[in-house]
Amino acid sequence: MAILGLVVLFFGLNYLKGLNLFTSDKSYFMTFKDISGLSNNSPIYADGYKVGVVKNIKYDYNHQNDIEIEAGLDPSLRIPKGSTAEVVSDLLGNVQVNLLLANNPREKLEPGDRIVGRVNDGAMGKLKEMIPAVERILPKLDSIMSSLNTLLADPAFAQSVHNIQQITGGLTQTTSQLNTLLAGLNKDVPQLMTNTNGVLDQANQLAGNLAQVNVGETMQKINSTLDNVQKLSAQLNNPQGTLGLLLNDASLYNNLNSTMRDADSLLVNFKAHPKRYVHFSIFGKKDK
């Protein structure tokens, strides 16, 4: 019974460690610069599925070579050539190895081959990368907070806030007036649209009347009138015609001018000696 108890304890402990003594595995070797607390019996996953455990860790105390890990993997797993491994640790401190299988359907790694590994810090690694930037920002943040406290303690700031409240009240009042104006416009818009429609109807009616006008006939009449005017102008400019002689003959103007002078002299003489031209007597006697 004691021997049986020791055997059950041995297999139970190995089972809890993740070792399966009833199945054979194949050993592959992984090399890392840093294993971030990885230990024996740490699980190895491929695509989130456990495919083996860490069997042995070989550390080079002379720092001439990388840390070498012996990984016992399921013999059914095919590892394409070019695959890599990474050590991942979560926020609770649990460390595991993830196999990143390459897309190489033709070539594969054989037991005993080496797989290049690296450390993936995950969210914690990104947080570590942010720490230097945060340290550089902290002094500036402290200066900003000090300036902000000084600004808040300034009485002018309180006065500015009070002015902003007054401006906000004025904007509220303006908005109310604008709403009232828009309401009035909404009442006037239907009448305006009605008037606009009436104007459009008249414009359409005018356009219809213009469309009914015989443009060709009208242009023919205009051309005919212009021809007549051109003929009249030609007759007036022709010195051989009657109208041309009246307009262009200088002798007619001279004769009219002479006649007017004679008529003017006659009128003057008539006013000076009316008896020479009008004979009137009560007794019938003539004046000579």
Side-chain angles (χ1 to χ4, degrees):
M1 293 296 293
I3 295 174
L4 181 61
L6 291 174
V7 171
V8 171
L9 180 61
F10 175 75
F11 284 103
L13 291 175
N14 284 291
Y15 178 78
L16 293 176
K17 292 179 180 179
L19 297 176
N20 192 348
L21 300 178
F22 297 102
T23 59
S24 60
D25 54 18
K26 293 183 179 181
S27 295
Y28 295 83
F29 295 93
M30 302 177 182
T31 56
F32 294 90
K33 297 289 185 182
D34 183 1
I35 58 175
S36 298
L38 190 69
S39 61
N40 290 336
N41 301 322
S42 294
I44 300 176
Y45 292 90
D47 298 329
Y49 181 77
K50 184 179 178 181
V51 293
V53 293
V54 175
K55 296 176 64 175
N56 188 25
I57 299 176
K58 182 180 179 181
Y59 180 72
D60 184 8
Y61 288 94
N62 295 323
H63 302 288
Q64 295 179 356
N65 299 314
D66 295 336
I67 302 173
E68 185 180 78
I69 293 176
E70 182 183 354
L73 302 178
D74 192 326
S76 301
L77 177 65
R78 180 184 181 276
I79 304 177
K81 200 168 186 178
S83 300
T84 59
E86 63 178 8
V87 176
V88 181
S89 57
D90 56 19
L91 296 177
L92 298 178
N94 299 319
V95 184
Q96 67 183 39
V97 178
N98 287 336
L99 275 177
L100 305 178
L101 300 178
N103 185 13
N104 188 355
R106 296 183 179 181
E107 298 176 310
K108 68 176 182 177
L109 296 176
E110 299 296 338
D113 289 341
R114 294 183 179 274
I115 301 174
V116 179
R118 62 185 180 87
V119 176
N120 184 358
D121 292 333
M124 295 299 296
K126 294 181 180 179
L127 184 60
K128 291 178 182 178
E129 294 176 357
M130 292 176 60
I131 289 177
V134 173
E135 290 178 348
R136 291 194 299 268
I137 292 175
L138 285 177
K140 297 181 180 179
L141 184 61
D142 183 67
S143 176
I144 292 173
M145 293 300 297
S146 177
S147 300
L148 184 60
N149 291 331
T150 304
L151 177 63
L152 293 176
D154 192 351
F157 180 77
Q159 183 64 31
S160 299
V161 174
H162 180 67
N163 294 336
I164 291 173
Q165 292 178 350
Q166 292 181 348
I167 293 172
T168 304
L171 289 175
T172 303
Q173 184 178 1
T174 302
T175 303
S176 178
Q177 295 175 354
L178 183 60
N179 291 332
T180 303
L181 178 62
L182 290 176
L185 289 176
N186 289 332
K187 293 180 181 178
D188 296 336
V189 164
Q191 182 64 32
L192 180 62
M193 292 300 296
T194 302
N195 296 336
T196 304
N197 292 331
V199 173
L200 290 176
D201 292 337
Q202 294 178 0
N204 292 331
Q205 184 177 1
L206 177 61
N209 294 334
L210 291 175
Q212 295 177 359
V213 174
N214 191 340
V215 178
E217 183 179 353
T218 303
M219 292 302 298
Q220 185 177 1
K221 292 181 179 179
I222 293 174
N223 292 332
S224 177
T225 303
L226 291 175
D227 292 338
N228 294 332
V229 171
Q230 188 175 4
K231 292 179 180 179
L232 177 60
S233 177
Q235 291 178 0
L236 291 175
N237 292 326
N238 187 8
Q240 303 299 327
T242 304
L243 294 177
L245 291 173
L246 290 176
L247 293 176
N248 300 317
D249 192 0
S251 60
L252 176 61
Y253 170 77
N254 295 330
N255 293 332
L256 289 176
N257 194 16
S258 176
T259 303
M260 291 300 296
R261 285 197 301 269
D262 294 339
D264 184 64
S265 300
L266 179 61
L267 182 60
V268 171
N269 193 12
F270 178 78
K271 289 181 178 180
H273 307 283
K275 292 183 179 181
R276 291 181 181 180
Y277 303 96
V278 179
H279 302 282
F280 178 76
S281 175
I282 297 175
F283 303 102
K285 186 179 178 180
K286 286 186 178 180
D287 257 345
K288 294 183 180 180

